[in-house]
Amino acid sequence: MINHLKESYPDKLVHVVYGASNDKDLNEIVSVFPENWNYYFTSFKNVRSFTQLELIKKTAYLTANKEYFNSSNNAMKKAQLSLDKNSILVV
């Protein structure tokens, strides 16, 4: 998906709202995230969700623009406010 977005929309700024279950290898997943995209990491209402603090700790090494939320609704709102005609939102 990442390669497809890069190839199909090379001039677009990509905003990604991302949350994951804590049984996923988050380091492996985010290691392929492009550094020039914007990320909105979020926990969600499920006992298996990474908490906001866990997301912060596990993605601290990323130099990309990133923000953290304890609500997927808040992450979506913030991402939507950041969009313009040259942006794409990936959830």
Side-chain angles (χ1 to χ4, degrees):
M1 180 179 83
I2 290 172
N3 288 334
H4 173 73
L5 288 169
K6 286 180 174 180
E7 292 169 8
S8 299
Y9 306 100
D11 298 328
K12 299 287 186 180
L13 177 59
V14 180
H15 298 265
V16 178
V17 175
Y18 186 82
S21 298
N22 60 17
D23 61 344
K24 305 293 183 242
D25 185 344
L26 192 58
N27 289 325
E28 182 180 333
I29 294 167
V30 299
S31 70
V32 300
F33 284 6
E35 292 288 330
N36 61 331
W37 291 6
N38 295 312
Y39 299 96
Y40 307 85
F41 291 101
T42 183
S43 59
F44 50 92
K45 291 183 180 181
N46 187 301
V47 295
R48 293 179 44 224
S49 170
F50 279 111
T51 66
Q52 184 178 10
L53 183 58
E54 290 170 324
L55 290 167
I56 291 169
K57 289 178 180 179
K58 291 185 176 284
T59 62
Y61 68 93
L62 287 177
T63 59
N65 292 326
K66 56 191 181 283
E67 295 185 51
Y68 301 92
F69 300 87
N70 59 11
S71 158
S72 55
N73 287 337
N74 290 342
M76 282 293 296
K77 286 177 188 175
K78 177 64 179 202
Q80 289 172 327
L81 289 173
S82 301
L83 298 177
D84 62 24
K85 66 179 183 170
N86 296 314
S87 302
I88 294 174
L89 178 60
V90 179
V91 180

